[in-house]
Amino acid sequence: MDYLLTESQIMIRDLARKIAVEKIKPVAAQYDESEEFAWPVMKILAESDLFGIYLPEAYGGMGGGILEMCLVTEELSRACGGIALGYAGTGLGTLPILLHGSEEQKKKYLPDIASGKKLAAFCITEAEAGSDAGSIKTTARKEGDKYILNGTKQWITNAGEAEIYTVIALTDKAKGVRGASAFIVEKGTKGMEFGKKEKKMGIRASATREVIFTDCEVPAANLISREGMGFIVAMKTLDTSRPGVAAQAVGIAQGALDCALDYSRTRVQFGAPISSFQAVQHMLADMGTQIEAARALAYSVARMVDSGAKSVSKESAMAKLFASDVAMKVAVDAVQIMGGYGYMRDYPVEKFMRDAKITQIYEGTNQIQRNVIAANMIKEALKK
Amino acid sequence: MNIIVCIKQVPNTTDVRIDPVTNTLIRDGVESVINPFDAYAIEEAVRIRERCGGKVTAVTMGPPQAETALKEAIGLGCDEGVLVSDRKFAGSDTWATSYTLACAIQKLDAYDLVLCGKQASDGDTAQVGPGISTHLDIPQVTYVKKIVEINDKSARVERMTEEGYDVVEVPLPCLFTVVKEINTPRMPSLKGMMRAKSAKLVKWTAADLDADPAALGLDGSPTRVVKIFTPEPRKGGEMISGATGEVARELVELLKGEVV
């Protein structure tokens, strides 16, 4: 389908596709097995200028937006959703600075992110604060020109690998979510440590660790926006980043369909390629249609974000919800089409199936997305 | 250091079709790319410039659409691109091609180094690089797998051979043809591609070159391709079976019959 992309968007997509095909696809299974972080691929993405595509030119970026970021995330995910997350997770960690950071903070942190010299990570989740993000317990106590952070963030993407962390912590426990604030914490800050690397079902090339703060001293200049704005920063960040999760899901789904389609054309049973059987054809048709619908929604919402729309909560939740459910269904069907071969780790579709699952869970479970969508629908109806 | 990289645009497939009448390549309908071997020459040139400073100029002779190969080369880090294109060059063999490229190189600023891929993936002759150095009257080292040392005056390189490698020291200016062992070409960068999009290429026709018109194109090409064909596959040999002694006797009789 023609999405009327600009010349430079096509250039970005094609470059990301080239890197995915030539540099990620050949190593995807190896990194899935070893669970190592794919630094050599991150270096290639950096040298190709892809880390900066959604950042303003004033900070070393290419001046694009979330649509550009989605195009890259989708293409990389088509080869490996885990390696793609090193890229997309950096975007998530960067958005609080891009959206709410001061001029000084942007000048200080964005150029190294744009060049790919430093990766970023976003820290909100805690052991007892998942869907209920409002119940975080990490605190930030102001002392002179510093904040002292204490608490443990859990399941942080890129933790340990990234240099720049945006962290949500409570500056005023009594106020609950209205007492949350956002901070930039650099790796190596005294009192900041990383927990063991988590062993995951999928996206195994992505690094997931705890980030532990023990009397961690952060300069007051690293407070993003004002005290009490943390939850708003976090929600706005997630609203902006969710089309990226949708794009990741679309990429995973497309990667799985690519495999299943190729396989169906060459696998002969009952004397004919299985692609000639209507049972298989209808599955392929549904998969292709669902992916296209998910892509269309993801791109539309990305464009809406880039247009500067005031609220995109409902739409970005819809894109994330729909695309991730499609990814899961398509990946399961791809395994089904390939039968026993699909179930074997010698073929990539079982990995797409494992990778797909996380897109229904992280950056807000799909149940939470439905809550957000319904709440917005009801709110809109009340205004009429 | 001023480095010139000679590149060729080739069909993106090893399965090229050949016109049965003219015995030349049919390029229509096939996606064109930079000759894969030339990509190593581009990468090596860009790496030398990153170490020593200077300029990398990509030069190609070809039809107008070879412009895209030059833009791609700029995307990969070359500074400038020169397209030498004229109907008069049509039908050039490796001799006329290397003469034309040498004339173009002489028209450029003084150079220190000319880099070429070891051969093109379509013609596979490996003759144009050495031909250019002959026309330019500069030393050449072919099949270079490593540039150990390079400065304004000379270079020390490793040249791949079937048994191992030679270490060659050579004064500059000179020409190297490089093999794929020399490096791993980088991916294009977006900034490079953006620069390529707006880059102005130098375009020269035969009239712009200080060249002997009789030495160009088909007329300047001493090579004639008489016929191109796929050799008949060899038929399987005759199998003899039985007891060892009998088989040996039968074989000797058969060989006698063949007048060995």
Side-chain angles (χ1 to χ4, degrees), chain B:
Chain B
M1 188 161 297
N2 261 347
I3 307 167
I4 289 162
V5 187
C6 297
I7 65 171
K8 183 182 187 183
Q9 192 176 48
V10 297
N12 186 16
T13 167
T14 45
D15 187 27
V16 287
R17 288 173 305 136
I18 290 166
D19 187 319
V21 181
T22 61
N23 280 333
T24 53
L25 301 171
I26 302 170
R27 290 199 165 80
D28 292 344
V30 183
E31 190 206 1
S32 295
V33 294
I34 292 177
N35 168 37
F37 294 111
D38 298 345
Y40 300 99
I42 292 171
E43 176 66 24
E44 199 60 24
V46 172
R47 287 188 189 186
I48 296 171
R49 185 202 57 206
E50 283 169 353
R51 282 203 307 274
C52 310
K55 189 172 80 171
V56 178
T57 308
V59 180
T60 193
M61 180 183 107
Q65 61 265 30
E67 194 177 313
T68 56
L70 289 173
K71 294 229 162 179
E72 211 181 306
I74 292 172
L76 289 165
C78 293
D79 299 287
E80 289 170 15
V82 178
L83 174 64
V84 188
S85 186
D86 199 314
R87 288 204 162 277
K88 291 196 177 87
F89 301 143
S92 292
D93 67 358
T94 57
W95 176 256
T97 301
S98 53
Y99 173 69
T100 310
L101 285 168
C103 291
I105 291 169
Q106 272 166 330
K107 199 177 153 73
L108 287 164
D109 296 339
Y111 56 90
D112 302 291
L113 184 63
V114 181
L115 290 178
C116 302
K118 68 161 179 160
Q119 67 198 54
S121 63
D122 52 0
D124 275 331
T125 68
Q127 291 170 354
V128 171
I132 294 169
S133 79
T134 306
H135 286 295
L136 290 173
D137 197 22
I138 57 171
Q140 56 169 292
V141 184
T142 51
Y143 306 109
V144 170
K145 77 171 184 78
K146 189 177 181 184
I147 297 180
V148 185
E149 215 183 295
I150 188 160
N151 56 49
D152 296 344
K153 300 269 177 305
S154 68
R156 182 201 291 258
V157 301
E158 291 175 4
R159 174 183 191 272
M160 200 146 94
T161 65
E162 274 174 25
E163 297 81 24
Y165 63 89
D166 301 334
V167 178
V168 183
E169 231 177 74
V170 59
L172 266 46
C174 65
L175 179 143
F176 299 149
T177 74
V178 301
V179 292
K180 67 175 171 38
E181 286 74 10
I182 196 165
N183 58 44
T184 307
R186 71 193 67 186
M187 285 281 135
S189 72
L190 277 177
K191 283 175 186 166
M193 288 162 82
M194 298 284 180
R195 200 173 64 238
K197 214 169 72 175
S198 57
K200 280 250 176 292
L201 300 172
V202 176
K203 291 177 190 176
W204 287 336
T205 62
D208 294 313
L209 302 180
D210 183 17
D212 173 7
L216 299 175
L218 199 58
D219 292 342
S221 298
T223 316
R224 286 290 174 271
V225 179
V226 180
K227 185 183 173 192
I228 294 177
F229 63 95
T230 310
E232 288 282 315
R234 279 170 57 150
K235 293 185 187 79
E238 196 179 326
M239 301 301 290
I240 314 166
S241 56
T244 319
E246 282 169 38
V247 172
R249 263 192 299 281
E250 203 182 334
L251 177 63
V252 170
E253 290 309 311
L254 278 170
L255 288 173
K256 275 182 182 168
E258 294 286 331
V259 200
V260 177

Side-chain angles (χ1 to χ4, degrees), chain A residues 100-123:
Chain A
H100 298 277
S102 66
E103 185 58 26
E104 289 72 37
Q105 288 168 341
K106 289 181 190 177
K107 269 190 191 146
K108 185 170 176 193
Y109 294 106
L110 296 185
D112 281 347
I113 293 171
S115 69
K117 207 171 126 193
K118 292 178 178 173
L119 302 187
F122 179 66
C123 313

Side-chain angles (χ1 to χ4, degrees), chain A residues 133-357:
Chain A
S135 61
I136 57 166
K137 293 196 169 64
T138 298
T139 54
R141 185 179 75 245
K142 190 159 188 192
E143 269 185 24
D145 58 353
K146 290 195 258 309
Y147 284 92
I148 314 295
L149 269 63
N150 277 290
T152 299
K153 294 293 176 181
Q154 183 173 273
W155 297 333
I156 303 306
T157 296
N158 284 352
E161 314 295 336
E163 297 287 328
I164 298 164
Y165 296 79
T166 43
V167 182
I168 309 297
L170 298 173
T171 38
D172 188 344
K173 273 193 276 188
K175 285 188 184 161
V177 294
R178 285 190 187 80
S181 304
F183 298 90
I184 305 166
V185 187
E186 292 181 49
K187 185 181 180 180
T189 305
K190 200 167 149 264
M192 180 196 206
E193 284 170 312
F194 301 105
K196 70 163 175 43
K197 193 166 170 174
E198 303 291 349
K199 290 183 188 295
K200 303 188 293 295
M201 170 196 271
I203 55 163
R204 287 158 50 123
S206 167
T208 313
R209 292 185 175 90
E210 279 180 339
V211 181
I212 305 152
F213 300 101
T214 315
D215 291 330
C216 177
E217 293 185 8
V218 177
N222 287 18
L223 171 71
I224 297 174
S225 186
R226 300 186 312 274
E227 277 191 21
M229 284 289 284
F231 215 66
I232 290 167
V233 169
M235 291 307 117
K236 183 84 182 150
T237 291
L238 292 168
D239 284 351
T240 310
S241 71
R242 278 187 188 118
V245 183
Q248 183 194 26
V250 169
I252 291 171
Q254 186 67 57
L257 175 58
D258 293 343
C259 293
L261 182 58
D262 277 355
Y263 177 87
S264 72
R265 291 168 58 233
T266 52
R267 170 67 172 173
V268 174
Q269 287 290 274
F270 306 106
I274 61 167
S275 62
S276 66
F277 304 142
Q278 203 175 47
V280 174
Q281 287 177 353
H282 285 191
M283 284 176 84
L284 291 170
D286 284 345
M287 292 155 83
T289 307
Q290 287 152 1
I291 292 172
E292 210 58 73
R295 183 180 287 123
L297 184 56
Y299 289 6
S300 302
V301 177
R303 283 187 161 125
M304 188 180 167
V305 172
D306 291 338
S307 74
K310 202 152 174 255
S311 171
V312 293
S313 301
K314 182 183 75 176
E315 292 77 8
S316 73
M318 285 174 163
K320 191 268 183 189
L321 163 68
F322 187 74
S324 59
D325 281 354
V326 161
M328 197 64 240
K329 182 178 178 301
V330 166
V332 167
D333 286 348
V335 171
Q336 190 66 24
I337 286 174
M338 292 182 63
Y341 291 100
Y343 198 73
M344 296 300 138
R345 273 155 64 177
D346 300 333
Y347 295 85
V349 285
E350 60 83 30
K351 174 181 178 297
F352 283 117
M353 184 173 150
R354 288 185 282 114
D355 288 355
K357 187 63 209 173

Side-chain angles (χ1 to χ4, degrees), chain A residues 7 11 15 19 22-23 47-49 53 60 62, chain B residues 184-194 197:
Chain A
E7 202 184 334
M11 194 189 275
L15 177 59
I19 293 171
E22 292 179 24
K23 302 293 181 184
E47 286 170 354
S48 300
D49 305 318
I53 47 164
M62 302 292 287
Chain B
T184 307
R186 71 193 67 186
M187 285 281 135
S189 72
L190 277 177
K191 283 175 186 166
M193 288 162 82
M194 298 284 180
K197 214 169 72 175

